[in-house]
Amino acid sequence: MPKVVAISHYAGTMLLLLAGIACLRGIGRWTNPQYIQFITILEDAHRYGTPEHKKKLASYNFDFRSWPVDFRWDEFTSRSDSGNVPLLRSEPKHRSAINGFLHAVKKLPCQIASFIVAHTFGRRMLYPGSVYLLQKALMPMLLQGQARLAEEYKGRRAKLAACDGNEIDTIFVDRRETLEPQGRKLVVCCEGNAGFYEVGCISTPLDAGYSVLGWNHPGFAGSTGVPLPQNEANAMDVVMQYAIHRLGFLPEDIILYAWSIGGFTATWAAMSYSDVSAVILDASFDDLVPLALKVMPESWRSLVTRTVRQYLNLNNAEQLCKYQGPVLLVRRTKDEIITTTVPEDIMSNRGNNLLLKLLQHRYPKIMTEEGLRIVREWLEASTPMEEASMYSHYEVEDEWCLSVLKSYQAEEGDEFPWSVGEDMTLDGRRQLALFLARKHLQNFEATHCTPLPPQEFHLPWSL
C-alpha cells in the first residue's frame, strides 16, 4: 500500500509540473505580440481564404495540419460519390459458389499474412520517406528547401483535400509571366519513395524554366495518410484537378515528370487524364514484383508476390500502355536500385522492361520476336559510342523511318496500337524497332539518386 501511495504521489507531482509548464507556455505565447499576430493571420486565412492572407501565412513556419484547405477534390468533379478513384485490377477467376467459398477459406491464412506484411514493414520498406524518424532527421533540410522555394522562386504552398480524406501538401511555382516559352507549360512532379518536393526532382524542371507543381506522398512531411497505391492515386487525382481547375492549366499544357517510384502516380495520371501533353519517367520500372523479390528471401516468393499484387501493386507498364501520348524513359546506366542483379548488369534494369512493354503494345507488328531481340541488343549498349555503333551496324535510316510512320499516321490515325510494319521486310522492321527504341529511351550515365541535370531534361519525341 505505501508503494501505491508513493507512485500516485509522484504521478500527481508530474501532472502538476506538466500542467504548470503548459500554462507558462500559454501565457508566454499570449503575451508575445508576434504570436498574437500569427494567430490573427491564421484565423483570417481560415475565415476568408484570400491569396493575400495565404501569402502572409506562408511567411510563418508552423504545423501544416493547421493550414486551411485550399482546394477540395469535389469542387469541380462530376463524380457524385466520395469513393476512391479507379485502379487497374486483374480480373478475378470465375469459380462456382461452392468452389469459390472453399477457395476463400483455404486462402484465408495467406490473405491475413499478406495484409499484416503489407501494413507493417511492407509499406515502410516501399516508402521509407513515410517513417517518422527519417522525416525528423530530414526536417532541417526540408524547412530549408521550403524557404528556398518560397523566397527564390515565389513558390505558393497549398493544401489539397483528397477524396479519401487525406490532405496533400503541394507547392506551385508559376513561370507564365516570364518570356521563356517553357514557362507556359506545367510540369507536375512525382517524387521517389524517400523524396519530398522540398528537396526532390522538382529542381530539374525548375532550373529548366518550367512552371512546376510539386506534391508530397500521403504520410510524407505535410501530407497526411499512408502511402498505399489507392491513396497515392487519390492524391494524384486531386493534384491534377487542382492544376487544371484552380491553377488554370489546360491538360495539353501539362507534362508529367516522375522519378523512381513516382512512376506509379505519373502513369496513373497519364491513363486517367489522357489529354496531358507528355510523360517523362526517370529511373522508373515496369512492375514492383521483380524488385520486391530481389530484396526478400527466396522462401518468401509466393508471399511477396501475393502481397504486392493485392496491396502494393505498382503496375506502371500496364498503366502507361493506356496512355496515347508522347513518352520518354530516362535510364540510369549505373542504377543500383531498379536492377535485379548488380548495377553493372544494365540488362537487369527494369527500365528496359518498361520500354519493351510500351513498344510491344504500341507497335506489335514491329516488335515481333526479331524486333525484341534487336532492341534488347541495343539496350546492352551503355555508352553513346556503343549505341551509335549498333545503329550504324543495322544501317538505320532516320528519314525513311519517319516517312513510314508519318504515312501510317496520316492514313490510319494516332490511336495505338498501330499495325505499321505488317507487310514490311525483316530489315525494315529492324530499322523501325531501333529507331523507335532510340526515340523513347534516353541514357543518363549516373546512379539512381543522382539529380537529373536540367540540360538532360528533354520533352519526349512525337511525330
Side-chain angles (χ1 to χ4, degrees):
M1 190 67 180
K3 288 184 177 180
V4 174
V5 173
I7 292 171
S8 63
H9 177 73
Y10 290 138
T13 303
M14 289 300 297
L15 286 172
L16 285 172
L17 283 172
L18 290 172
I21 291 169
C23 289
L24 287 172
R25 186 175 68 170
I27 293 169
R29 284 182 172 180
W30 290 110
T31 56
N32 185 334
Q34 290 183 338
Y35 186 78
I36 296 297
Q37 184 183 26
F38 162 69
I39 289 297
T40 303
I41 293 172
L42 180 61
E43 288 177 346
D44 288 344
H46 276 277
R47 187 179 297 115
Y48 305 113
T50 63
E52 291 76 17
H53 288 110
K54 297 289 179 64
K55 188 175 180 180
K56 290 179 182 178
L57 191 62
S59 63
Y60 293 91
N61 177 30
F62 62 100
D63 192 335
F64 197 63
R65 286 176 294 184
S66 300
W67 187 283
V69 171
D70 297 278
F71 183 84
R72 289 183 52 82
W73 68 275
D74 55 357
E75 286 189 25
F76 293 92
T77 185
S78 58
R79 283 163 48 210
S80 58
D81 64 327
S82 59
N84 294 320
V85 298
L87 294 178
L88 286 180
R89 302 186 188 277
S90 56
E91 292 292 328
K93 295 179 180 178
H94 295 287
R95 291 186 174 90
S96 66
I98 295 176
N99 288 339
F101 175 75
L102 293 175
H103 180 77
V105 171
K106 183 180 177 182
K107 292 292 183 182
L108 185 60
C110 298
Q111 300 287 356
I112 293 172
S114 293
F115 180 87
I116 293 171
V117 168
H119 290 84
T120 53
F121 65 87
R123 69 171 178 83
R124 290 174 175 84
M125 287 180 66
L126 188 58
Y127 289 94
S130 64
V131 176
Y132 174 78
L133 290 177
L134 179 60
Q135 293 191 37
K136 197 74 175 175
L138 292 174
M139 191 53 65
M141 192 184 303
L142 299 182
L143 292 175
Q144 187 178 3
Q146 277 181 15
R148 174 174 169 267
L149 289 169
E151 294 168 12
E152 292 184 25
Y153 296 99
K154 310 300 180 186
R156 196 163 78 222
R157 203 175 182 192
K159 179 190 283 187
L160 316 183
C163 62
D164 52 14
N166 288 335
E167 296 174 340
I168 307 304
D169 183 7
T170 69
I171 192 83
F172 170 56
V173 177
D174 195 350
R175 296 276 183 73
R176 284 174 288 190
E177 299 300 321
T178 64
L179 298 176
E180 298 295 330
Q182 61 265 39
R184 293 190 288 273
K185 294 281 187 179
L186 176 70
V187 178
V188 178
C189 298
C190 303
E191 300 290 346
N193 65 356
F196 302 80
Y197 73 65
E198 293 88 341
V199 291
C201 67
I202 190 175
S203 61
T204 298
L206 262 183
D207 293 341
Y210 290 88
S211 294
V212 174
L213 176 59
W215 60 282
N216 280 329
H217 297 284
F220 282 49
S223 296
T224 63
V226 293
L228 294 170
Q230 183 65 69
N231 297 348
E232 289 279 306
N234 293 339
M236 189 65 189
D237 180 58
V238 74
V239 167
M240 291 297 295
Q241 290 193 50
Y242 175 66
I244 295 168
H245 298 298
R246 179 60 60 82
L247 301 181
F249 285 90
L250 296 172
E252 306 87 71
D253 292 326
I254 295 176
I255 300 162
L256 300 171
Y257 171 50
W259 173 62
S260 190
I261 212 169
F264 173 73
T265 45
T267 55
W268 181 88
M271 172 184 71
S272 305
Y273 294 84
S274 55
D275 292 334
V276 294
S277 173
V279 176
I280 303 171
L281 302 179
D282 179 12
S284 199
F285 52 88
D286 62 323
D287 185 23
L288 182 62
V289 170
L291 297 173
L293 292 173
K294 164 192 169 183
V295 298
M296 300 301 288
E298 178 62 28
S299 58
W300 287 35
R301 173 176 285 271
S302 60
L303 175 63
V304 170
T305 303
R306 187 186 311 109
T307 301
V308 169
R309 287 285 176 251
Q310 192 158 1
Y311 298 104
L312 306 169
N313 193 27
L314 306 185
N315 49 345
N316 299 351
E318 189 179 2
Q319 293 184 152
L320 185 61
C321 287
K322 301 290 183 181
Y323 175 60
Q324 295 284 324
V327 176
L328 177 65
L329 309 180
V330 180
R331 182 180 67 164
R332 310 295 185 100
T333 58
K334 299 177 182 177
D335 201 308
E336 73 282 16
I337 302 297
I338 64 166
T339 47
T340 53
T341 55
V342 293
E344 293 76 23
D345 182 12
I346 198 169
M347 286 308 292
S348 72
N349 187 311
R350 296 303 300 189
N352 299 336
N353 303 76
L354 184 56
L355 173 70
L356 291 171
K357 289 176 181 179
L358 177 65
L359 294 182
Q360 275 186 289
H361 169 75
R362 292 189 167 190
Y363 310 99
K365 304 302 180 181
I366 295 172
M367 298 304 293
T368 56
E369 186 176 341
E370 178 63 13
L372 287 171
R373 185 191 69 78
I374 292 295
V375 173
R376 285 196 183 100
E377 188 179 338
W378 177 79
L379 287 169
E380 289 183 23
S382 58
T383 66
M385 188 177 295
E386 290 176 359
E387 283 185 46
S389 174
M390 173 80 177
Y391 216 62
S392 61
H393 174 72
Y394 284 98
E395 299 178 343
V396 180
E397 298 178 20
D398 287 1
E399 292 299 324
W400 177 82
C401 293
L402 271 174
S403 65
V404 169
L405 294 172
K406 284 182 176 180
S407 297
Y408 179 90
Q409 183 186 47
E411 293 176 10
E412 304 294 337
D414 295 328
E415 188 173 351
F416 296 111
W418 287 8
S419 60
V420 62
E422 190 171 19
D423 301 320
M424 193 174 289
T425 64
L426 183 61
D427 179 65
R429 290 200 298 270
R430 283 174 178 167
Q431 287 195 53
L432 283 171
L434 285 174
F435 175 82
L436 290 167
R438 197 179 194 186
K439 293 296 185 182
H440 285 81
L441 185 135
Q442 165 191 328
N443 277 326
F444 176 45
E445 192 174 348
T447 57
H448 188 78
C449 295
T450 304
L452 187 71
Q455 62 269 22
E456 295 290 336
F457 187 82
H458 305 296
L459 294 184
W461 167 81
S462 62
L463 282 174

